[in-house]
Amino acid sequence: MRSLAVASPVPPAAAHRRRLRPSASGREVVSQCLKCEINQDRPMGALRIGHSQGNLPRHGSKNLLTPAAAISVEQVEVSTYLPKGDMWSVHKFGGTCMGTPQRIQNVADVVLGDSSERKLIIVSAMSKVTDMMYSLVHKAQSRDDSYTEELDKVFEKHMAAAKDLLDGENLARFLSELHSDISNLRAMLRAIYIAGHATESFSEFVVGHGELWSSQMLSYAVQKSGASCSWMDTREVLVVKPSGPDMVDPDYEESEKRLEKWFSRQPAEIIVATGFIASTAENIPTTLKRDGSDFSAAIIGSLVRARQVTIWTDVDGVFSADPRKVSEAVILSTLSYQEAWEMSYFGANVLHPRTIIPVMKDNIPIVIRNMFNLSAPGTVICKQPANEDADLDACVKSFATIDKLALVNVEGTGMAGVPGTSSAIFSAVKEVGANVIMISQASSEHSICFAVPEKEVAAVSAALHVRFREALAAGRLSKVEVIHDCSILAAVGLRMASTPGVSAILFDALAKANINVRAIAQGCSEYNITVVLKQEDCVRALRAAHSRFFLSKTTLAIGVIGPGLIGATLLNQLRDQVAILKENMNIDVRVIGITGASTMLLSETGVDLTRWKEEMQKEAKPADLANFVRHLSEDHVFPNKVLVDCTADTNVASHYYDWLKKGIHVITPNKKANSGPLDRYLKLRTLQRASYTHYFYEATVGAGLPIISTLRGLLETGDKILRIEGIFSGTLSYIFNNFEGTRSFSDVVAEAKEAGYTEPDPRDDLSGTDVARKVIILARESGLRLELSDIPVESLVPEALKSCSSPNEFMQKLPSFDQDWARQRHEAEAAGEVLRYVGAVDVLNGKGRVELQRYKRDHPFAQLSGSDNIIAFTTSRYKEQPLIVRGPGAGAEVTAGGVFCDILRLASYLGAPS
């Protein structure tokens, strides 16, 4: 019976590497390298590939063989077998995890901390090394002399890492092997340089060295702890066969045989193995192609029937969308195999697309973990998770996008009912080697469209024009059209199947974000819905769709204009209520911008309302209304954007129409837009009625009182408005409610000013213009087409004081008119009446007015106190006894409360629970 050291049933490449192996006792023997013996047994043509590529000669390899271990394979197979099942835990560590000596040591610590009975560790090359190795081949075959410098950098990187990580004999062995490998690579790259060409097998042999070196360093690091650890070159075990361009399929049966033979010679509790690399059935080194280390781990996990396969990376798990595009993306706790497969196909950075296949057939869970955040539980990929919430939002697990696509549309009446048309189309596409990513066809068969990569569309178009030249000339086909600059958005979820309403929610979200869908596809499995969009709309579409399914149904992104008295009060009210709204009503309010006259504060995800004033001072930018609105409108995380104008500025109000056209909702207590030029008001209301966008202005009349909503309710239910009359100014209500007894008019005005009821210049209130604006708003809401100039207004500002240069001068001169006011009060009291400043809308006669009136003391208008407003609606239903709305009509708290109420009304319109 021949000794394993002389002859092995495994390929010569493996036999050569096994000349040196560690003994169970830790002693070492150095057997002669049989490189020459092996090569003498091979024809010259096989020598280069069999030895130089597959054998990786390592004089002084750490794989040592004791005399006791040099027994026959048959003996080993009788006494040692490969156990399979839950005792195995497979871990795969990516290049980032292996990026530095400290990280490799951290990986070793994680491996040693796993309590599994047996562990199989798959590793990638150190970070960036695979790219460096590909670059070496490219430069060599391009006859770029700098390949030698690049090779030196590769050597120095690994030598420095080894010196930081290892010591003693292990370091000496690794450096010896590293020197040998670099020497061999230098010779091979020189040959490539001379030939100006590298075969695929030569290239893959070179590129695979990164995994050899990183895995060896990790195995030495684990051995330092005294643990039983073996190193595996997976080219000795994994056998694959080509299945297409840049694609291979594992030969499970042969791989399992080789793994059992390998394990029979090296039955360690911990095995550190190379990812990415494998061999063909002819023992020619190859790879599992780009990002193939995940695939390696899945294949090995399947071979040993592992309990689970853990993929260690630098993120906390699988995100619901690309976090670089969607800042609100969340980590998914579970995914089904099918969902992960779909996400991989559509380009999501989850796993190598083929990683799912090996584990799915054996029902082995895959766990995605973060090497740099061990406390994060990660994402478990398994069979359909049980007991998941089955509501509509939970149906969609994730969103993925593919950019740089073109849509090809083949259209014509001659296609309908003609067998073989689709076959002819896709045969032509196949001939040019294009990858069809999505297909959509109408049931009428009048047209068929499909998406291909932008770089391939020119060849596809040319092939189709050639193939259908006659059909196009005869008119059976009307066109072969190419639509450039497209992207695909895919919604993925296993529970989408047979769940009504998912598509409706998705397309509603896209519509509200003003996204035009160019093509749609959904398979009968219903695991994904795919839409084709303009590439420029893709990120906005992704954020809109994601927010609809993963954020609150009514997430509002708010920009506040004017953080003065009312604006600041509103911000404070929001601060105190947002958490309650989120918890109780699922309304998520985010203030993402605040702008004043000189500075503005912008945020991507929401201003901290507990310290917005401090942030306005520290982080604010110069105010720019156009940039402020652009920040809000171009935010694609939150589809529902709201501008709250808390100013009294005419210029700000002039922008409402443009904002509404952009899909931004507008809420305001600013009366200037609705009381301004009639044509502008009508244009604004027409747009509001014709779009999804809302315009609320309850606080323009009566502060927080429900005046506008009451009027609309009456009109919408068919009531006919006859007359509206009321005390609309909280300031003037306060003044005349307190102008009694012996008090002078000027004292009451001064008191109101001191209490903050009046404008900085009390003439703005006493002029009656503010009341006139409220009257014109109610008149227009009632259907009257009046201009502000059509409303006669009785001003309370004495003619002689209108020209005062300042509020102080006005207040100083006002007492000189106290006798006139005292006389009017006395005359009213003598008649059992009180003075009240009122506005009225006579709907029947199409008129309005603002004036000082006298009312009997038992009249409702005479019963007010403080700054109360009162409005009486006389209608067909409320003719004998008017409908009266009464309450505080002035003050920052109630006005801000009215604005807040409009925000909640908007949320209700958008789907919040009532």
Side-chain angles (χ1 to χ4, degrees), residues 193-367:
Y193 178 92
I194 293 171
H197 173 70
T199 64
E200 182 180 0
S201 58
F202 272 45
S203 297
E204 295 194 330
F205 169 73
V206 172
V207 170
H209 276 72
E211 278 71 18
L212 292 170
W213 297 324
S214 63
S215 59
Q216 287 172 352
M217 282 193 285
L218 176 61
S219 68
Y220 283 129
V222 172
Q223 287 174 16
K224 282 196 305 183
S225 69
S228 170
C229 177
S230 295
W231 174 77
M232 176 194 289
D233 179 350
T234 49
R235 293 177 300 186
E236 301 178 22
V237 171
L238 293 187
V239 179
V240 297
K241 49 192 174 185
S243 58
D246 287 327
M247 190 178 295
V248 294
D249 283 335
D251 183 337
Y252 289 100
E253 184 177 353
E254 180 61 26
S255 297
E256 189 166 7
K257 289 179 181 178
R258 293 194 182 191
L259 178 60
E260 289 171 349
K261 291 178 180 179
W262 186 95
F263 187 82
S264 70
R265 295 185 291 269
Q266 197 84 294
E269 294 177 359
I270 301 174
I271 300 172
V272 177
T274 55
F276 181 56
I277 58 178
S279 293
T280 67
E282 295 77 25
N283 301 315
I284 298 173
T286 187
T287 69
L288 300 179
K289 313 309 173 189
R290 276 287 195 175
D291 302 317
S293 292
D294 290 350
F295 197 16
S296 299
I299 296 168
I300 295 289
S302 174
L303 294 178
V304 299
R305 313 296 191 268
R307 184 183 80 258
Q308 73 177 34
V309 175
T310 304
I311 308 291
W312 292 90
T313 180
D314 56 359
V315 293
D316 286 345
V318 179
F319 282 90
S320 55
D322 187 340
R324 296 167 298 183
K325 297 177 180 178
V326 181
S327 59
E328 300 288 322
V330 299
I331 297 291
L332 302 173
S333 59
T334 59
L335 275 176
S336 70
Y337 293 125
Q338 290 87 350
E339 287 165 339
W341 182 306
E342 295 278 357
M343 291 172 66
S344 298
Y345 176 80
F346 286 105
N349 189 20
V350 181
L351 292 170
H352 186 283
R354 309 193 71 200
T355 301
I356 307 298
I357 302 172
V359 295
M360 185 164 62
K361 67 185 182 67
D362 292 312
N363 194 24
I364 299 170
I366 297 178
V367 183

Side-chain angles (χ1 to χ4, degrees), residues 45 97 123 138 193 231 262 297 331 350 367 509 577 590 645 675 688:
C97 302
V123 298
H138 175 73
Y193 178 92
W231 174 77
W262 186 95
I331 297 291
V350 181
V367 183
Q577 201 67 14
R590 311 282 186 98
D645 173 21
S675 62
Q688 177 197 5

Side-chain angles (χ1 to χ4, degrees), residues 572-813:
N572 291 336
Q573 289 178 356
L574 289 170
R575 174 199 64 203
D576 297 337
Q577 201 67 14
V578 286
I580 297 171
L581 291 174
K582 181 73 179 292
E583 181 177 353
N584 295 345
M585 301 181 67
N586 201 25
I587 299 173
D588 189 359
V589 176
R590 311 282 186 98
V591 176
I592 65 171
I594 304 170
T595 184
S598 57
T599 60
M600 65 181 181
L601 176 65
L602 306 179
S603 171
E604 293 297 327
T605 56
V607 174
D608 181 355
L609 294 180
T610 62
R611 52 189 306 273
W612 67 268
K613 290 183 179 179
E614 293 88 334
E615 290 187 13
M616 281 287 287
Q617 294 175 347
K618 295 179 182 178
E619 302 177 23
K621 303 176 181 179
D624 184 318
L625 187 59
N627 285 340
F628 183 80
V629 174
R630 191 177 301 113
H631 167 74
L632 187 73
S633 64
E634 293 181 357
D635 177 275
H636 306 314
V637 176
F638 313 110
N640 303 314
K641 289 110 175 176
V642 189
L643 276 168
V644 179
D645 173 21
C646 293
T647 72
D649 192 293
T650 302
N651 177 58
V652 175
S654 69
H655 292 288
Y656 291 178
Y657 183 84
D658 293 333
W659 297 344
L660 290 168
K661 281 203 75 173
K662 291 180 178 179
I664 302 174
H665 308 287
V666 176
I667 294 174
T668 184
N670 185 347
K671 294 176 278 292
K672 298 298 174 63
N674 287 7
S675 62
L678 178 63
D679 60 342
R680 185 179 296 175
Y681 165 81
L682 294 174
K683 185 179 177 183
L684 199 58
R685 290 303 309 276
T686 300
L687 175 63
Q688 177 197 5
R689 293 187 184 103
S691 69
Y692 281 105
T693 316
H694 298 284
Y695 172 42
F696 293 141
Y697 42 86
E698 183 72 76
T700 56
V701 181
L705 296 179
I707 307 301
I708 300 292
S709 56
T710 298
L711 176 56
R712 283 191 177 177
L714 293 170
L715 292 169
E716 289 169 0
T717 57
D719 203 352
K720 183 178 180 180
I721 308 299
L722 305 177
R723 180 182 178 84
I724 304 172
E725 185 178 14
I727 296 172
F728 295 103
S729 168
T731 301
L732 295 176
S733 177
Y734 179 88
I735 289 173
F736 286 101
N737 287 338
N738 288 278
F739 182 46
E740 57 185 8
T742 59
R743 300 193 66 184
S744 68
F745 186 77
S746 61
D747 282 347
V748 176
V749 173
E751 180 181 275
K753 186 175 187 298
E754 183 69 23
Y757 286 116
T758 73
E759 297 293 332
D761 188 338
R763 286 175 294 182
D764 293 340
D765 297 291
L766 296 172
S767 69
T769 303
D770 182 66
V771 176
R773 289 188 181 280
K774 296 175 181 179
V775 168
I776 200 69
I777 289 171
L778 292 176
R780 289 174 175 177
E781 291 289 312
S782 301
L784 302 183
R785 298 197 170 192
L786 298 176
E787 295 282 4
L788 186 60
S789 58
D790 295 330
I791 307 296
V793 180
E794 179 183 351
S795 175
L796 302 183
V797 180
E799 193 66 34
L801 301 186
K802 289 181 180 179
S803 60
C804 289
S805 61
S806 68
N808 286 338
E809 181 184 354
F810 169 76
M811 291 303 297
Q812 289 172 1
K813 294 182 177 180

